[in-house]
Structure formats: structure tokens, C-alpha cells
Amino acid sequence: MNIAITGEGIISAIGTNKEEVLQSLLAHKSGIKEMQFLQSVHHELPVGEVALSNEQMKKRLGIPEKQLMSRTELMGILAIRQALEDAGIDLSAVSASNKKIVLVSGTTVGGMDLTEQSFNPLYEQFQSQQETKVEELAFLNHHDGGNCTQKIADYFRNESATGQSGFDELTTISTACSSAANAIMLGAKLLETGEADIVVAGGSEALSRFHLNGFNSLMILDKKRCRPFDATRAGLNLGEGAAFVVLESESAARHQGKTPHAYLTGYGNACDAYHQTASSENGEGAFLAMKEALNMAHIEPEDIQYVNAHGTGTPNNDQSESESLKRLFGKKMPWISSTKSFTGHTTSASGSIEAIICLLAMQHHFIPANLGWENQMENGIIPCTGIENVRLENVLCNSFGFGGNDSSLIFSTHPTEEETIQTKREPQQTASNIRILSTVEINSEEDLSDIRKYVKPLEARRMGKIMKSSLLSSLEALEKAGIATPDAIITGTTYGCLENSEKLLVQLKEEGEEMLKPTYFMQSTHNTIGSNIAIKTHCHGYNITYTQGEDSLDWAIRDAKMLLASGKAKTVLVGCHDESTPLLNQLRTQSGEKALPSIHSIAMVLSCGE
């Protein structure tokens, strides 16, 4: 099946729609400047903020000013509304036609901006054992990524006259800075397997003090505008924004009289399996992801005219990505640039924001500039500083996240020939051939003592309870199945590494925004769980994390079955891991919800074939 892109929507520091973003790119106009809306003491750190307040976005969307909405949700709604209009899609008409439309969003911090506003007084009340008013707990329904996606979907359901039309299904992917790229990949798979007729996929991420101070604790933020691939590069600038694309099969789009804007012809995800925040010297994960995308598109490296690099401006990333690009392309380098010096690093939204930048470059025949580059770094690539009047037929877009979660997308002006696909397609498996080889479940902290069978005592003492439970249940399940290294790791979680996230918020409250511990931030992202398992098992394969509340495990299993049925994996480690804290449980019970167990992990190994 050829996957057509029929609509795009974007909001970023360089524009609140496609036309504004295009004009900024052509004019080499960066959106990185001193923060305006984020309430932080770190005004020495420039950021790529969307130039709209929450109130202004609510006004554009017709949302009452007093209605609680996170910035992540507001930007996501704006971008999705643009994408649907661009594709000529009316949700009521889709519902009436019995077509299935699915929303897939990528985010990591979710509604952290609202959590920050509520956290300090709530934590003081918790310490003094005071009762919290119910209205003070409203942020809980916006906090995690799955909540954000649900609130975005609710807007489109409530917007219709009947209140019944909207997205038929939704899910959230949280793999740090590759989240939105992975959301687009999942959207394509849902179309290819017939589990959706239309998919709106992308990501949204807002700046927060949690976000800014977490990255600052790693000492990888630049006090000047970032300079990807430059010898003087000193770090990244954080940004925010949202972008979504509408994906449909080419045949369905043509049947409706639509002309596809471009095609998603290849994609790949791989895990570096090296370190939680650093990339390997040879860029193994990045190389594998790009190679897989090329193989899927049935093209050679020399068929790529332009690479939109991940290019964060950090010494480690740019060196590692340079090595992976040289391994793939050799001496025949295509044009390469990073556009993060325009938008800032929009983290979980970067994959979709940069995907739309790639589509704009293809449609308007230019190479986006790598702003700020002047001096070639040692053994580094030479990025493009901007070219116009070029023909782009195949473009590669890279998104690499913490934990070595590396993803690559290929966009093409023409679809892949169906005959070529048929001759090279992987052998398909049926659902009846997929079976569970082993299952291990952990329900209490008392069960965690066996972790020392697999890690040294010192390392065990440094691990939080969810890291212990997820690793122990996974390694036990693999051992029972007689497998050392699975082909893929797919994880589900609601709150992720909640304990470390809470510790970072407490430290922000008690110590302010200086000298925060990097350990808490390094182990706070949702995909820390799956990447840690990959590092321990040396698994370089597909690695995805779902965060959609009670549906997280179902989505993980569903993805595993699609992967196994495609023939791209023979064994998949699937897990769902969550932890709670006394503070969370107090807030939940006061809001009328059930307290959660201190720890719960389930891991299973799925396989296909005899």
C-alpha cells in the first residue's frame, strides 16, 4: 500500500501555520530568542517559543479562557485543525461514511505546565497532611501524555453539532525526541494493516520548567543560538510546538479526487542500546534506522537528495550523527541540514515539525539552511547553508531520542512501484501463528530482591523501583522463553518513571532552578524503561513506548502482533510497567479515584511461527 500525505498542520517558533513557517525558512529567520511566556529564572537560555499566549490560543479555538487546558493540548488542537482543513476532512462526514479515523500523538512532558502550577501548594498540603480541595486536583486529568491526547480528541468531538463525531481511536507514543516520528510510523502501519482508513499523526510538546531545568542539569543547553555541526557548537536550545499530518492510502485519496502532497515511502526505528542520554560513537542506532527506512522504500543511499538531520547542536549528537551519515552515504553525501536553529529542539514534536519542513522543502524546491554554521567540526559533515531551485524526490528525516531511540522517515514525490514491493515483501504471518512464550508479573516491592541475579548490588541500589521491576520481569520472561536478545521491545506505561519525575519537581520547589541533579531527569522519561531493557539485552531492534492509561498494554500487544505478522521480527518482548507514590495516591483518593499499587510490572515474550 502506498501511504499518501494529504494534509499538514504546524505551529512553531517560526510560524503558526504552514505559510508562515515557509516564509521564515526562506528568509532564514530564526524563532529562537529570550523566553516570553515560560516562567523561569533562566532568561540567559534562549528558547524557541510559539509566539502566542495560552489565552490567545484559546481565543482562536473558541475555548473559554477559564477552561483548564495545557499548552501541549492547545498547540496540538491548532495543528490538527489545520491538518484536517488542509486535507479537506470533515469528521462528521467521516463518521457518516463508516470510515475509521485514528489519532496518534507523540509527547513526553504532556501537561507538565499545569502540574508545575499546582505542585508546590499540593506538596506542602501533603507534607502537613492537609485535605486538598477537589478543584485543585483538576490538573490530574491533563498531566500524562495519554490525558493530553484524550483532551485534544475531546475538543474535536465536542466541536461537532451532535457531539458524536470525532476520532474513533487514539493513542500516545512517548519515546522522548523521536515520539512524533514514531507516531507517523504507527499511523502508516495502521493503514497498511487495515486497522484505520485515515490517520492523523504527529506530536505536541510545550516548554516547562521541568523540561528546561532537566536539560540544563545535563549541561547541554547553549546560551547562544545553537549551531548544529559547527566546530564551536555548545549545546541545544529548547523549543516547543506541534505538527500533524493526515495519512491515507493513495487509492482512497485518489478516489476522493485528492492529489497527495507527498508519500511516506520508508521508515525505520532502531535502538542504539548504548546509554540513557548519550549516543554511541559510531551512531549504530541511527545507522540502522536510516538503513531500514531505505530498504523499505526500495531505494539506495544515492537516491536521497536531502537529509533533515536530528542535529541538536550538542557535541555528542552531532559527532555521532555525522559518523552514522558517513557510514550510510560514504563520499556521496546528499545535502544535509538541521533546522533546529530555526525552531529550537521541540523534543517530542520535533519529528513531525521537521517532517513538515521536509514537505515544504520538497513542494517549494529548496534546502533549508543550517543557520549559524561557519566552521567544520573535526570529522564532521558539512551542512548546507541554504539552496533554492532544487528538485527533491526523496528526503530523509531523522529524529533521535533519549535512550538511543532512533527513527528515520523517507518522504517521496512519487509512490513506490507496487510491483517492486510485491517482489521484496517480507513473509507474512497469520494471527494464529502468534503465541505467548512466557509471562512474568511483579506486584509488590518484596518481589524486587531477585534483581541482584542480573545486576550488581551497587547498580541495584541506584535503580528506582520501576526500573528494577521492569528489568527483572523482562529478564525473567526472556529467560523462561530461552531468549537472550529479543528482536524488538514494546512497552506500555501510564505515568512512566513517576518517582524520579516527582523528585525533580520537589527539588525545583525546595532548591529553585539551580544545580539540579541530572540523575532524576535522565531517568524520568517514559521510554527510560524500554531503553534500559534494550541496553541490558543488547537489543538494537524496534523499541516503542505507549502511554495511554489503561489501554497502554493493549496498544503494546497490538503493535507487537503487527510487527510479528509483518515478518520483521520473530520474538518481541512486551511489557507494561507502572509505579505510584504516596503523593499521587493521596491526590487520586481525594479526587475519588482508586489508589494505585506501589509497583506493577508484567512482561511477556511473543513469538510467531512453529
Side-chain angles (χ1 to χ4, degrees), residues 290-319:
M290 291 188 288
K291 189 69 175 174
E292 183 182 356
L294 285 169
N295 290 340
M296 183 177 182
H298 307 295
I299 59 176
E300 300 299 323
E302 54 264 33
D303 295 317
I304 297 289
Q305 289 84 40
Y306 169 59
V307 177
N308 185 286
H310 186 58
T312 60
T314 63
N316 174 251
N317 175 87
D318 293 3
Q319 191 68 62

PDB file of all heavy atoms in Angstrom, residues 290-319:
ATOM      1  N   MET A 290      18.160   4.485   9.605  1.00  0.00           N
ATOM      2  CA  MET A 290      18.209   5.020   8.238  1.00  0.00           C
ATOM      3  C   MET A 290      18.261   3.901   7.211  1.00  0.00           C
ATOM      4  O   MET A 290      17.591   3.962   6.165  1.00  0.00           O
ATOM      5  CB  MET A 290      19.411   5.956   8.087  1.00  0.00           C
ATOM      6  CG  MET A 290      19.294   7.258   8.865  1.00  0.00           C
ATOM      7  SD  MET A 290      20.622   8.450   8.489  1.00  0.00           S
ATOM      8  CE  MET A 290      22.032   7.677   9.304  1.00  0.00           C
ATOM      9  N   LYS A 291      19.045   2.868   7.525  1.00  0.00           N
ATOM     10  CA  LYS A 291      19.170   1.735   6.599  1.00  0.00           C
ATOM     11  C   LYS A 291      17.833   1.026   6.423  1.00  0.00           C
ATOM     12  O   LYS A 291      17.452   0.661   5.306  1.00  0.00           O
ATOM     13  CB  LYS A 291      20.228   0.763   7.141  1.00  0.00           C
ATOM     14  CG  LYS A 291      20.619  -0.356   6.188  1.00  0.00           C
ATOM     15  CD  LYS A 291      21.380   0.170   4.993  1.00  0.00           C
ATOM     16  CE  LYS A 291      21.867  -0.970   4.108  1.00  0.00           C
ATOM     17  NZ  LYS A 291      22.486  -0.464   2.860  1.00  0.00           N
ATOM     18  N   GLU A 292      17.105   0.853   7.522  1.00  0.00           N
ATOM     19  CA  GLU A 292      15.799   0.191   7.439  1.00  0.00           C
ATOM     20  C   GLU A 292      14.818   1.017   6.609  1.00  0.00           C
ATOM     21  O   GLU A 292      14.046   0.469   5.808  1.00  0.00           O
ATOM     22  CB  GLU A 292      15.234  -0.029   8.844  1.00  0.00           C
ATOM     23  CG  GLU A 292      13.907  -0.770   8.841  1.00  0.00           C
ATOM     24  CD  GLU A 292      13.318  -0.948  10.225  1.00  0.00           C
ATOM     25  OE1 GLU A 292      13.963  -0.567  11.218  1.00  0.00           O
ATOM     26  OE2 GLU A 292      12.176  -1.459  10.315  1.00  0.00           O
ATOM     27  N   ALA A 293      14.852   2.334   6.793  1.00  0.00           N
ATOM     28  CA  ALA A 293      13.960   3.197   6.021  1.00  0.00           C
ATOM     29  C   ALA A 293      14.264   3.109   4.525  1.00  0.00           C
ATOM     30  O   ALA A 293      13.349   3.039   3.690  1.00  0.00           O
ATOM     31  CB  ALA A 293      14.091   4.638   6.501  1.00  0.00           C
ATOM     32  N   LEU A 294      15.543   3.092   4.169  1.00  0.00           N
ATOM     33  CA  LEU A 294      15.932   2.952   2.765  1.00  0.00           C
ATOM     34  C   LEU A 294      15.480   1.615   2.195  1.00  0.00           C
ATOM     35  O   LEU A 294      14.965   1.535   1.070  1.00  0.00           O
ATOM     36  CB  LEU A 294      17.454   3.089   2.625  1.00  0.00           C
ATOM     37  CG  LEU A 294      18.039   4.490   2.743  1.00  0.00           C
ATOM     38  CD1 LEU A 294      19.548   4.421   2.859  1.00  0.00           C
ATOM     39  CD2 LEU A 294      17.633   5.348   1.550  1.00  0.00           C
ATOM     40  N   ASN A 295      15.673   0.554   2.957  1.00  0.00           N
ATOM     41  CA  ASN A 295      15.265  -0.775   2.493  1.00  0.00           C
ATOM     42  C   ASN A 295      13.765  -0.841   2.242  1.00  0.00           C
ATOM     43  O   ASN A 295      13.300  -1.436   1.268  1.00  0.00           O
ATOM     44  CB  ASN A 295      15.674  -1.842   3.511  1.00  0.00           C
ATOM     45  CG  ASN A 295      17.168  -2.056   3.570  1.00  0.00           C
ATOM     46  OD1 ASN A 295      17.893  -1.697   2.633  1.00  0.00           O
ATOM     47  ND2 ASN A 295      17.663  -2.617   4.659  1.00  0.00           N
ATOM     48  N   MET A 296      13.008  -0.228   3.143  1.00  0.00           N
ATOM     49  CA  MET A 296      11.554  -0.248   2.989  1.00  0.00           C
ATOM     50  C   MET A 296      11.118   0.539   1.754  1.00  0.00           C
ATOM     51  O   MET A 296      10.177   0.150   1.055  1.00  0.00           O
ATOM     52  CB  MET A 296      10.890   0.331   4.235  1.00  0.00           C
ATOM     53  CG  MET A 296       9.384   0.284   4.184  1.00  0.00           C
ATOM     54  SD  MET A 296       8.642   0.897   5.702  1.00  0.00           S
ATOM     55  CE  MET A 296       6.911   0.630   5.323  1.00  0.00           C
ATOM     56  N   ALA A 297      11.800   1.655   1.503  1.00  0.00           N
ATOM     57  CA  ALA A 297      11.467   2.482   0.339  1.00  0.00           C
ATOM     58  C   ALA A 297      11.998   1.897  -0.964  1.00  0.00           C
ATOM     59  O   ALA A 297      11.670   2.398  -2.049  1.00  0.00           O
ATOM     60  CB  ALA A 297      12.014   3.893   0.527  1.00  0.00           C
ATOM     61  N   HIS A 298      12.822   0.846  -0.872  1.00  0.00           N
ATOM     62  CA  HIS A 298      13.428   0.191  -2.033  1.00  0.00           C
ATOM     63  C   HIS A 298      14.243   1.168  -2.869  1.00  0.00           C
ATOM     64  O   HIS A 298      14.169   1.196  -4.096  1.00  0.00           O
ATOM     65  CB  HIS A 298      12.351  -0.475  -2.888  1.00  0.00           C
ATOM     66  CG  HIS A 298      11.462  -1.394  -2.121  1.00  0.00           C
ATOM     67  ND1 HIS A 298      11.929  -2.551  -1.520  1.00  0.00           N
ATOM     68  CD2 HIS A 298      10.147  -1.316  -1.816  1.00  0.00           C
ATOM     69  CE1 HIS A 298      10.929  -3.146  -0.894  1.00  0.00           C
ATOM     70  NE2 HIS A 298       9.844  -2.419  -1.052  1.00  0.00           N
ATOM     71  N   ILE A 299      15.034   1.990  -2.145  1.00  0.00           N
ATOM     72  CA  ILE A 299      15.926   2.921  -2.827  1.00  0.00           C
ATOM     73  C   ILE A 299      17.317   2.792  -2.220  1.00  0.00           C
ATOM     74  O   ILE A 299      17.489   2.210  -1.140  1.00  0.00           O
ATOM     75  CB  ILE A 299      15.436   4.383  -2.743  1.00  0.00           C
ATOM     76  CG1 ILE A 299      15.309   4.829  -1.285  1.00  0.00           C
ATOM     77  CG2 ILE A 299      14.121   4.560  -3.485  1.00  0.00           C
ATOM     78  CD1 ILE A 299      14.921   6.289  -1.127  1.00  0.00           C
ATOM     79  N   GLU A 300      18.290   3.360  -2.898  1.00  0.00           N
ATOM     80  CA  GLU A 300      19.674   3.329  -2.456  1.00  0.00           C
ATOM     81  C   GLU A 300      20.043   4.670  -1.822  1.00  0.00           C
ATOM     82  O   GLU A 300      19.361   5.681  -2.056  1.00  0.00           O
ATOM     83  CB  GLU A 300      20.594   3.030  -3.636  1.00  0.00           C
ATOM     84  CG  GLU A 300      20.327   1.701  -4.319  1.00  0.00           C
ATOM     85  CD  GLU A 300      20.504   0.513  -3.379  1.00  0.00           C
ATOM     86  OE1 GLU A 300      21.420   0.567  -2.523  1.00  0.00           O
ATOM     87  OE2 GLU A 300      19.723  -0.446  -3.500  1.00  0.00           O
ATOM     88  N   PRO A 301      21.126   4.713  -1.057  1.00  0.00           N
ATOM     89  CA  PRO A 301      21.538   5.985  -0.452  1.00  0.00           C
ATOM     90  C   PRO A 301      21.662   7.125  -1.452  1.00  0.00           C
ATOM     91  O   PRO A 301      21.298   8.267  -1.161  1.00  0.00           O
ATOM     92  CB  PRO A 301      22.883   5.642   0.194  1.00  0.00           C
ATOM     93  CG  PRO A 301      22.772   4.196   0.535  1.00  0.00           C
ATOM     94  CD  PRO A 301      21.974   3.586  -0.586  1.00  0.00           C
ATOM     95  N   GLU A 302      22.154   6.808  -2.662  1.00  0.00           N
ATOM     96  CA  GLU A 302      22.352   7.864  -3.659  1.00  0.00           C
ATOM     97  C   GLU A 302      21.031   8.428  -4.199  1.00  0.00           C
ATOM     98  O   GLU A 302      21.018   9.451  -4.907  1.00  0.00           O
ATOM     99  CB  GLU A 302      23.208   7.366  -4.828  1.00  0.00           C
ATOM    100  CG  GLU A 302      22.702   6.110  -5.484  1.00  0.00           C
ATOM    101  CD  GLU A 302      23.375   4.849  -4.944  1.00  0.00           C
ATOM    102  OE1 GLU A 302      23.718   4.825  -3.747  1.00  0.00           O
ATOM    103  OE2 GLU A 302      23.538   3.894  -5.736  1.00  0.00           O
ATOM    104  N   ASP A 303      19.907   7.782  -3.879  1.00  0.00           N
ATOM    105  CA  ASP A 303      18.606   8.281  -4.309  1.00  0.00           C
ATOM    106  C   ASP A 303      18.059   9.367  -3.386  1.00  0.00           C
ATOM    107  O   ASP A 303      17.045   9.995  -3.693  1.00  0.00           O
ATOM    108  CB  ASP A 303      17.590   7.136  -4.393  1.00  0.00           C
ATOM    109  CG  ASP A 303      17.963   6.123  -5.459  1.00  0.00           C
ATOM    110  OD1 ASP A 303      18.360   6.540  -6.549  1.00  0.00           O
ATOM    111  OD2 ASP A 303      17.848   4.906  -5.190  1.00  0.00           O
ATOM    112  N   ILE A 304      18.714   9.577  -2.243  1.00  0.00           N
ATOM    113  CA  ILE A 304      18.308  10.620  -1.299  1.00  0.00           C
ATOM    114  C   ILE A 304      18.982  11.934  -1.686  1.00  0.00           C
ATOM    115  O   ILE A 304      20.209  11.999  -1.791  1.00  0.00           O
ATOM    116  CB  ILE A 304      18.695  10.249   0.150  1.00  0.00           C
ATOM    117  CG1 ILE A 304      17.957   8.982   0.606  1.00  0.00           C
ATOM    118  CG2 ILE A 304      18.430  11.413   1.105  1.00  0.00           C
ATOM    119  CD1 ILE A 304      16.477   9.155   0.840  1.00  0.00           C
ATOM    120  N   GLN A 305      18.180  12.985  -1.879  1.00  0.00           N
ATOM    121  CA  GLN A 305      18.770  14.285  -2.234  1.00  0.00           C
ATOM    122  C   GLN A 305      19.025  15.169  -1.004  1.00  0.00           C
ATOM    123  O   GLN A 305      19.897  16.026  -1.032  1.00  0.00           O
ATOM    124  CB  GLN A 305      17.849  15.056  -3.191  1.00  0.00           C
ATOM    125  CG  GLN A 305      17.781  14.485  -4.590  1.00  0.00           C
ATOM    126  CD  GLN A 305      16.763  13.354  -4.685  1.00  0.00           C
ATOM    127  OE1 GLN A 305      15.693  13.422  -4.096  1.00  0.00           O
ATOM    128  NE2 GLN A 305      17.101  12.303  -5.419  1.00  0.00           N
ATOM    129  N   TYR A 306      18.239  14.961   0.059  1.00  0.00           N
ATOM    130  CA  TYR A 306      18.350  15.838   1.231  1.00  0.00           C
ATOM    131  C   TYR A 306      18.070  15.056   2.509  1.00  0.00           C
ATOM    132  O   TYR A 306      17.175  14.207   2.547  1.00  0.00           O
ATOM    133  CB  TYR A 306      17.376  17.013   1.119  1.00  0.00           C
ATOM    134  CG  TYR A 306      17.214  17.827   2.389  1.00  0.00           C
ATOM    135  CD1 TYR A 306      18.319  18.448   2.991  1.00  0.00           C
ATOM    136  CD2 TYR A 306      15.971  17.983   2.996  1.00  0.00           C
ATOM    137  CE1 TYR A 306      18.170  19.185   4.158  1.00  0.00           C
ATOM    138  CE2 TYR A 306      15.819  18.729   4.157  1.00  0.00           C
ATOM    139  CZ  TYR A 306      16.921  19.315   4.748  1.00  0.00           C
ATOM    140  OH  TYR A 306      16.784  20.036   5.909  1.00  0.00           O
ATOM    141  N   VAL A 307      18.850  15.340   3.545  1.00  0.00           N
ATOM    142  CA  VAL A 307      18.632  14.778   4.876  1.00  0.00           C
ATOM    143  C   VAL A 307      18.364  15.922   5.841  1.00  0.00           C
ATOM    144  O   VAL A 307      19.194  16.829   5.997  1.00  0.00           O
ATOM    145  CB  VAL A 307      19.852  13.969   5.374  1.00  0.00           C
ATOM    146  CG1 VAL A 307      19.604  13.469   6.809  1.00  0.00           C
ATOM    147  CG2 VAL A 307      20.153  12.798   4.447  1.00  0.00           C
ATOM    148  N   ASN A 308      17.196  15.899   6.484  1.00  0.00           N
ATOM    149  CA  ASN A 308      16.939  16.811   7.594  1.00  0.00           C
ATOM    150  C   ASN A 308      17.459  16.092   8.830  1.00  0.00           C
ATOM    151  O   ASN A 308      16.832  15.167   9.345  1.00  0.00           O
ATOM    152  CB  ASN A 308      15.441  17.125   7.727  1.00  0.00           C
ATOM    153  CG  ASN A 308      15.174  18.165   8.789  1.00  0.00           C
ATOM    154  OD1 ASN A 308      15.249  17.894   9.982  1.00  0.00           O
ATOM    155  ND2 ASN A 308      14.852  19.381   8.360  1.00  0.00           N
ATOM    156  N   ALA A 309      18.631  16.505   9.270  1.00  0.00           N
ATOM    157  CA  ALA A 309      19.324  15.807  10.354  1.00  0.00           C
ATOM    158  C   ALA A 309      18.692  16.104  11.706  1.00  0.00           C
ATOM    159  O   ALA A 309      18.049  17.141  11.896  1.00  0.00           O
ATOM    160  CB  ALA A 309      20.799  16.212  10.379  1.00  0.00           C
ATOM    161  N   HIS A 310      18.906  15.190  12.660  1.00  0.00           N
ATOM    162  CA  HIS A 310      18.461  15.452  14.024  1.00  0.00           C
ATOM    163  C   HIS A 310      19.210  16.673  14.551  1.00  0.00           C
ATOM    164  O   HIS A 310      18.608  17.549  15.163  1.00  0.00           O
ATOM    165  CB  HIS A 310      18.707  14.232  14.906  1.00  0.00           C
ATOM    166  CG  HIS A 310      18.156  14.358  16.284  1.00  0.00           C
ATOM    167  ND1 HIS A 310      16.822  14.595  16.525  1.00  0.00           N
ATOM    168  CD2 HIS A 310      18.753  14.291  17.507  1.00  0.00           C
ATOM    169  CE1 HIS A 310      16.618  14.657  17.828  1.00  0.00           C
ATOM    170  NE2 HIS A 310      17.763  14.490  18.448  1.00  0.00           N
ATOM    171  N   GLY A 311      20.524  16.722  14.337  1.00  0.00           N
ATOM    172  CA  GLY A 311      21.344  17.913  14.529  1.00  0.00           C
ATOM    173  C   GLY A 311      20.973  18.840  15.668  1.00  0.00           C
ATOM    174  O   GLY A 311      20.542  19.961  15.443  1.00  0.00           O
ATOM    175  N   THR A 312      21.188  18.404  16.895  1.00  0.00           N
ATOM    176  CA  THR A 312      20.771  19.206  18.045  1.00  0.00           C
ATOM    177  C   THR A 312      21.729  20.338  18.386  1.00  0.00           C
ATOM    178  O   THR A 312      21.356  21.293  19.061  1.00  0.00           O
ATOM    179  CB  THR A 312      20.632  18.324  19.290  1.00  0.00           C
ATOM    180  OG1 THR A 312      21.891  17.717  19.589  1.00  0.00           O
ATOM    181  CG2 THR A 312      19.567  17.265  19.097  1.00  0.00           C
ATOM    182  N   GLY A 313      22.988  20.230  17.977  1.00  0.00           N
ATOM    183  CA  GLY A 313      23.995  21.215  18.368  1.00  0.00           C
ATOM    184  C   GLY A 313      24.794  20.799  19.578  1.00  0.00           C
ATOM    185  O   GLY A 313      25.685  21.533  20.015  1.00  0.00           O
ATOM    186  N   THR A 314      24.505  19.623  20.134  1.00  0.00           N
ATOM    187  CA  THR A 314      25.333  19.125  21.240  1.00  0.00           C
ATOM    188  C   THR A 314      26.569  18.435  20.665  1.00  0.00           C
ATOM    189  O   THR A 314      26.508  17.836  19.589  1.00  0.00           O
ATOM    190  CB  THR A 314      24.565  18.125  22.123  1.00  0.00           C
ATOM    191  OG1 THR A 314      24.208  16.972  21.353  1.00  0.00           O
ATOM    192  CG2 THR A 314      23.314  18.759  22.703  1.00  0.00           C
ATOM    193  N   PRO A 315      27.691  18.511  21.369  1.00  0.00           N
ATOM    194  CA  PRO A 315      28.903  17.861  20.864  1.00  0.00           C
ATOM    195  C   PRO A 315      28.699  16.379  20.576  1.00  0.00           C
ATOM    196  O   PRO A 315      29.140  15.880  19.541  1.00  0.00           O
ATOM    197  CB  PRO A 315      29.914  18.085  22.000  1.00  0.00           C
ATOM    198  CG  PRO A 315      29.464  19.368  22.635  1.00  0.00           C
ATOM    199  CD  PRO A 315      27.955  19.331  22.576  1.00  0.00           C
ATOM    200  N   ASN A 316      27.999  15.677  21.471  1.00  0.00           N
ATOM    201  CA  ASN A 316      27.839  14.232  21.315  1.00  0.00           C
ATOM    202  C   ASN A 316      26.944  13.883  20.134  1.00  0.00           C
ATOM    203  O   ASN A 316      27.295  13.066  19.278  1.00  0.00           O
ATOM    204  CB  ASN A 316      27.288  13.628  22.606  1.00  0.00           C
ATOM    205  CG  ASN A 316      26.967  12.144  22.476  1.00  0.00           C
ATOM    206  OD1 ASN A 316      25.815  11.758  22.468  1.00  0.00           O
ATOM    207  ND2 ASN A 316      27.995  11.315  22.341  1.00  0.00           N
ATOM    208  N   ASN A 317      25.755  14.473  20.065  1.00  0.00           N
ATOM    209  CA  ASN A 317      24.825  14.100  18.998  1.00  0.00           C
ATOM    210  C   ASN A 317      25.411  14.369  17.622  1.00  0.00           C
ATOM    211  O   ASN A 317      25.357  13.518  16.736  1.00  0.00           O
ATOM    212  CB  ASN A 317      23.499  14.848  19.126  1.00  0.00           C
ATOM    213  CG  ASN A 317      22.584  14.555  17.940  1.00  0.00           C
ATOM    214  OD1 ASN A 317      21.831  13.594  17.943  1.00  0.00           O
ATOM    215  ND2 ASN A 317      22.650  15.361  16.891  1.00  0.00           N
ATOM    216  N   ASP A 318      25.948  15.560  17.418  1.00  0.00           N
ATOM    217  CA  ASP A 318      26.390  15.929  16.077  1.00  0.00           C
ATOM    218  C   ASP A 318      27.568  15.075  15.613  1.00  0.00           C
ATOM    219  O   ASP A 318      27.686  14.761  14.428  1.00  0.00           O
ATOM    220  CB  ASP A 318      26.758  17.410  16.039  1.00  0.00           C
ATOM    221  CG  ASP A 318      25.531  18.302  16.226  1.00  0.00           C
ATOM    222  OD1 ASP A 318      24.429  17.762  16.435  1.00  0.00           O
ATOM    223  OD2 ASP A 318      25.680  19.533  16.178  1.00  0.00           O
ATOM    224  N   GLN A 319      28.427  14.684  16.543  1.00  0.00           N
ATOM    225  CA  GLN A 319      29.538  13.804  16.179  1.00  0.00           C
ATOM    226  C   GLN A 319      29.034  12.413  15.831  1.00  0.00           C
ATOM    227  O   GLN A 319      29.417  11.827  14.816  1.00  0.00           O
ATOM    228  CB  GLN A 319      30.538  13.720  17.335  1.00  0.00           C
ATOM    229  CG  GLN A 319      31.855  13.043  16.954  1.00  0.00           C
ATOM    230  CD  GLN A 319      32.670  13.863  15.975  1.00  0.00           C
ATOM    231  OE1 GLN A 319      33.074  14.976  16.281  1.00  0.00           O
ATOM    232  NE2 GLN A 319      32.922  13.333  14.791  1.00  0.00           N
TER     233      GLN A 319
END
